[in-house]
Amino acid sequence: MNQFLLRHPKSIIGLLVVSFVLMIVSVSYIAPYDPNHVTMKERLLPISSEHWLGTDHLGRDIFSRILVGARTTVGTSLLILMCSLLIGIPIGLFSGYIGGRFDRVLMKIVDAFMAFPDYIFAIVLSGLLGPGMFNLIFAIVIVKWVGYTRLVRSTVITEKHKEYVLLAKINGLRSFQILKKHMIPHIMGNVLVLATLDLGKIILMIAALSYIGLGAQPPTAEWGSMLNEGKAFFYNAPLLMVIPGLAIMLFVLMSNLLGDYLRDKFDVKSKKVGI
Amino acid sequence: MSIPSETVIEAERLSKRYKCGHLALDDVSLTVKKGECLGIAGESGSGKSTLARCLLAIESQDIGKIMRNGTMQAVFQNPSASLNPKLKVIDSLMEPLDGGKIAYPSFLSHFREDRRKTAEFLLKLVDIPGSYLDAYPHQLSGGQKQRISIARAISVEPSLIILDEPTSSLDVSVQANILNLLKDLQEDFGLSYLFISHDLAAVRFMSQRIAIMQRGKIVEHFASEELFSEERHPCTQQLIAVFES
């Protein structure tokens, strides 16, 4: 175990932050104060033993809002990621494996999606659809699924002509079985690495859209909208922006470290197996 | 249409032209009988591999027909591409039997479908320790990988194994080992081979009959003892000259 810690210091940081965030998500149900309870007498309080991270411009406890906001932000980003994977992976698998005209038509669609810068596309989409969490999720999924389709398709195309796939066909495996047995192990490593790295980007995107008022609506506690609300008080109470900013930063850092860790883990060649 | 039971495969007048216009097979006919090894030699690009793919039904010929008696297996040139690098040896090795469509052959029946014991036994047949079952292909040498491909091919006791350049990407010393192994297995299990190689020495060692291919045609077809006869086709003599030099 000690050797493992020494060999993968980064991964330990990543895992620690995961447990930290998991803790936040579970603790959000027992936050010390009601995150939406307005107490005008207690507005903009500094850090104290009563309010660990102070209070905001409406006297709401920032610590409670960060905890509850984690549920909104992290939960939403995981939901977006799951939807992108569920759309992107099957389309990539079939497009790459079937090939031909089917593949060409699909890739034209993917290229069309990719032609737009993803932030602008998401902003335009959620702007057109109107503010709100559901539209924000929809807009980000539309932007994100194409990356997985591309990644999966290119892996499938390089692998599908190799002899082991021919042998699987000779042995009577159906296309679906070949995809499941031979292609999925090939794509899972790359997909998971991309997904964990994407998790950070998705959080940033949610926060950015909420910051400009397109995502979570007040009084919902969400890190991006907390930044947005805090910006008017930045000179008097910088904590209002610093705390949610730090929360976002830590989460993005965690997802990047986790991505590195998974990349090492899924590289079979680095695995030691006793012979 | 049926073929005599002692024939494992019969191909009649196969032709195939690729989309680019290259005529890969031009009126090729051949027969392999039970327990024999038919060698096919020819320089690269002569259509040997296309023939193998058509016989295996991975590709379809434009003209001609193929009649098969029983199951077919194959061992290909590149041992690294023949095993999925992400799968453990046991999962690649047991693929033909895992499908459940093919019954365990008689020589494996006393394992009562115990997957692991069967896999260990198959590895033993090709001189690889059973402890390699949980290894990944990158931990094995090229020769070991090729032995595993061979074990996988014989696991269903196929009526024909198509060996498409099985030794061409291996070291010379390993090549001899693999050829000897193939020959021993053929004797032990009464296997039929179609042995494809550009190496005439290997083809002669393995085969009873030899067919020489050039530009998609079988230019000549003779018993392996007659290889050095005076009447050989110039193409054959050229191939002989290559391996004598």
Side-chain angles (χ1 to χ4, degrees), chain A residues 241-253:
Chain A
M241 290 194 83
V242 170
I243 303 284
L246 269 177
I248 293 168
M249 194 202 79
L250 271 179
F251 192 82
V252 175
L253 180 71

PDB file of all heavy atoms in Angstrom, chain A residues 241-253:
ATOM      1  N   MET A 241     -17.234  35.766  -3.766  1.00  0.00           N
ATOM      2  CA  MET A 241     -16.792  35.214  -5.051  1.00  0.00           C
ATOM      3  C   MET A 241     -15.661  34.202  -4.872  1.00  0.00           C
ATOM      4  O   MET A 241     -15.552  33.246  -5.628  1.00  0.00           O
ATOM      5  CB  MET A 241     -16.324  36.337  -5.981  1.00  0.00           C
ATOM      6  CG  MET A 241     -17.450  37.207  -6.469  1.00  0.00           C
ATOM      7  SD  MET A 241     -16.951  38.242  -7.853  1.00  0.00           S
ATOM      8  CE  MET A 241     -17.148  37.123  -9.223  1.00  0.00           C
ATOM      9  N   VAL A 242     -14.808  34.433  -3.878  1.00  0.00           N
ATOM     10  CA  VAL A 242     -13.630  33.578  -3.708  1.00  0.00           C
ATOM     11  C   VAL A 242     -14.042  32.150  -3.346  1.00  0.00           C
ATOM     12  O   VAL A 242     -13.515  31.186  -3.892  1.00  0.00           O
ATOM     13  CB  VAL A 242     -12.686  34.165  -2.636  1.00  0.00           C
ATOM     14  CG1 VAL A 242     -11.589  33.166  -2.281  1.00  0.00           C
ATOM     15  CG2 VAL A 242     -12.081  35.471  -3.124  1.00  0.00           C
ATOM     16  N   ILE A 243     -15.033  32.021  -2.453  1.00  0.00           N
ATOM     17  CA  ILE A 243     -15.403  30.677  -1.978  1.00  0.00           C
ATOM     18  C   ILE A 243     -15.972  29.810  -3.111  1.00  0.00           C
ATOM     19  O   ILE A 243     -15.444  28.728  -3.379  1.00  0.00           O
ATOM     20  CB  ILE A 243     -16.397  30.768  -0.799  1.00  0.00           C
ATOM     21  CG1 ILE A 243     -15.815  31.602   0.337  1.00  0.00           C
ATOM     22  CG2 ILE A 243     -16.823  29.382  -0.334  1.00  0.00           C
ATOM     23  CD1 ILE A 243     -14.781  30.924   1.169  1.00  0.00           C
ATOM     24  N   PRO A 244     -17.012  30.269  -3.821  1.00  0.00           N
ATOM     25  CA  PRO A 244     -17.478  29.420  -4.936  1.00  0.00           C
ATOM     26  C   PRO A 244     -16.422  29.235  -6.018  1.00  0.00           C
ATOM     27  O   PRO A 244     -16.325  28.160  -6.608  1.00  0.00           O
ATOM     28  CB  PRO A 244     -18.699  30.162  -5.484  1.00  0.00           C
ATOM     29  CG  PRO A 244     -18.730  31.485  -4.834  1.00  0.00           C
ATOM     30  CD  PRO A 244     -17.872  31.434  -3.620  1.00  0.00           C
ATOM     31  N   GLY A 245     -15.589  30.248  -6.224  1.00  0.00           N
ATOM     32  CA  GLY A 245     -14.499  30.121  -7.201  1.00  0.00           C
ATOM     33  C   GLY A 245     -13.550  29.004  -6.821  1.00  0.00           C
ATOM     34  O   GLY A 245     -13.146  28.190  -7.656  1.00  0.00           O
ATOM     35  N   LEU A 246     -13.198  28.974  -5.534  1.00  0.00           N
ATOM     36  CA  LEU A 246     -12.310  27.912  -5.044  1.00  0.00           C
ATOM     37  C   LEU A 246     -12.968  26.544  -5.195  1.00  0.00           C
ATOM     38  O   LEU A 246     -12.309  25.568  -5.568  1.00  0.00           O
ATOM     39  CB  LEU A 246     -11.989  28.148  -3.557  1.00  0.00           C
ATOM     40  CG  LEU A 246     -10.752  28.986  -3.235  1.00  0.00           C
ATOM     41  CD1 LEU A 246     -10.632  29.187  -1.735  1.00  0.00           C
ATOM     42  CD2 LEU A 246      -9.502  28.304  -3.781  1.00  0.00           C
ATOM     43  N   ALA A 247     -14.249  26.497  -4.888  1.00  0.00           N
ATOM     44  CA  ALA A 247     -14.960  25.217  -5.004  1.00  0.00           C
ATOM     45  C   ALA A 247     -14.896  24.715  -6.437  1.00  0.00           C
ATOM     46  O   ALA A 247     -14.586  23.542  -6.689  1.00  0.00           O
ATOM     47  CB  ALA A 247     -16.411  25.378  -4.559  1.00  0.00           C
ATOM     48  N   ILE A 248     -15.133  25.603  -7.393  1.00  0.00           N
ATOM     49  CA  ILE A 248     -15.073  25.219  -8.809  1.00  0.00           C
ATOM     50  C   ILE A 248     -13.660  24.766  -9.162  1.00  0.00           C
ATOM     51  O   ILE A 248     -13.447  23.724  -9.776  1.00  0.00           O
ATOM     52  CB  ILE A 248     -15.508  26.391  -9.712  1.00  0.00           C
ATOM     53  CG1 ILE A 248     -16.997  26.694  -9.494  1.00  0.00           C
ATOM     54  CG2 ILE A 248     -15.235  26.090 -11.176  1.00  0.00           C
ATOM     55  CD1 ILE A 248     -17.445  27.994 -10.125  1.00  0.00           C
ATOM     56  N   MET A 249     -12.683  25.546  -8.709  1.00  0.00           N
ATOM     57  CA  MET A 249     -11.303  25.238  -9.043  1.00  0.00           C
ATOM     58  C   MET A 249     -10.906  23.864  -8.510  1.00  0.00           C
ATOM     59  O   MET A 249     -10.290  23.068  -9.208  1.00  0.00           O
ATOM     60  CB  MET A 249     -10.381  26.314  -8.474  1.00  0.00           C
ATOM     61  CG  MET A 249      -8.998  26.267  -9.039  1.00  0.00           C
ATOM     62  SD  MET A 249      -7.827  27.071  -7.948  1.00  0.00           S
ATOM     63  CE  MET A 249      -7.569  25.803  -6.739  1.00  0.00           C
ATOM     64  N   LEU A 250     -11.270  23.596  -7.255  1.00  0.00           N
ATOM     65  CA  LEU A 250     -10.917  22.307  -6.664  1.00  0.00           C
ATOM     66  C   LEU A 250     -11.549  21.154  -7.429  1.00  0.00           C
ATOM     67  O   LEU A 250     -10.926  20.125  -7.646  1.00  0.00           O
ATOM     68  CB  LEU A 250     -11.384  22.261  -5.196  1.00  0.00           C
ATOM     69  CG  LEU A 250     -10.393  22.783  -4.180  1.00  0.00           C
ATOM     70  CD1 LEU A 250     -10.985  22.718  -2.776  1.00  0.00           C
ATOM     71  CD2 LEU A 250      -9.096  21.974  -4.228  1.00  0.00           C
ATOM     72  N   PHE A 251     -12.778  21.368  -7.836  1.00  0.00           N
ATOM     73  CA  PHE A 251     -13.450  20.276  -8.540  1.00  0.00           C
ATOM     74  C   PHE A 251     -12.819  20.022  -9.910  1.00  0.00           C
ATOM     75  O   PHE A 251     -12.623  18.882 -10.317  1.00  0.00           O
ATOM     76  CB  PHE A 251     -14.943  20.571  -8.701  1.00  0.00           C
ATOM     77  CG  PHE A 251     -15.701  19.367  -9.150  1.00  0.00           C
ATOM     78  CD1 PHE A 251     -16.086  18.413  -8.224  1.00  0.00           C
ATOM     79  CD2 PHE A 251     -15.976  19.149 -10.488  1.00  0.00           C
ATOM     80  CE1 PHE A 251     -16.746  17.273  -8.632  1.00  0.00           C
ATOM     81  CE2 PHE A 251     -16.637  18.008 -10.900  1.00  0.00           C
ATOM     82  CZ  PHE A 251     -17.027  17.075  -9.966  1.00  0.00           C
ATOM     83  N   VAL A 252     -12.457  21.086 -10.614  1.00  0.00           N
ATOM     84  CA  VAL A 252     -11.813  20.936 -11.924  1.00  0.00           C
ATOM     85  C   VAL A 252     -10.463  20.250 -11.747  1.00  0.00           C
ATOM     86  O   VAL A 252     -10.099  19.339 -12.494  1.00  0.00           O
ATOM     87  CB  VAL A 252     -11.658  22.310 -12.609  1.00  0.00           C
ATOM     88  CG1 VAL A 252     -10.882  22.178 -13.895  1.00  0.00           C
ATOM     89  CG2 VAL A 252     -13.026  22.910 -12.887  1.00  0.00           C
ATOM     90  N   LEU A 253      -9.738  20.675 -10.700  1.00  0.00           N
ATOM     91  CA  LEU A 253      -8.431  20.061 -10.405  1.00  0.00           C
ATOM     92  C   LEU A 253      -8.610  18.570 -10.144  1.00  0.00           C
ATOM     93  O   LEU A 253      -7.884  17.735 -10.676  1.00  0.00           O
ATOM     94  CB  LEU A 253      -7.827  20.743  -9.183  1.00  0.00           C
ATOM     95  CG  LEU A 253      -6.462  20.216  -8.732  1.00  0.00           C
ATOM     96  CD1 LEU A 253      -5.388  20.634  -9.720  1.00  0.00           C
ATOM     97  CD2 LEU A 253      -6.112  20.698  -7.341  1.00  0.00           C
TER      98      LEU A 253
END
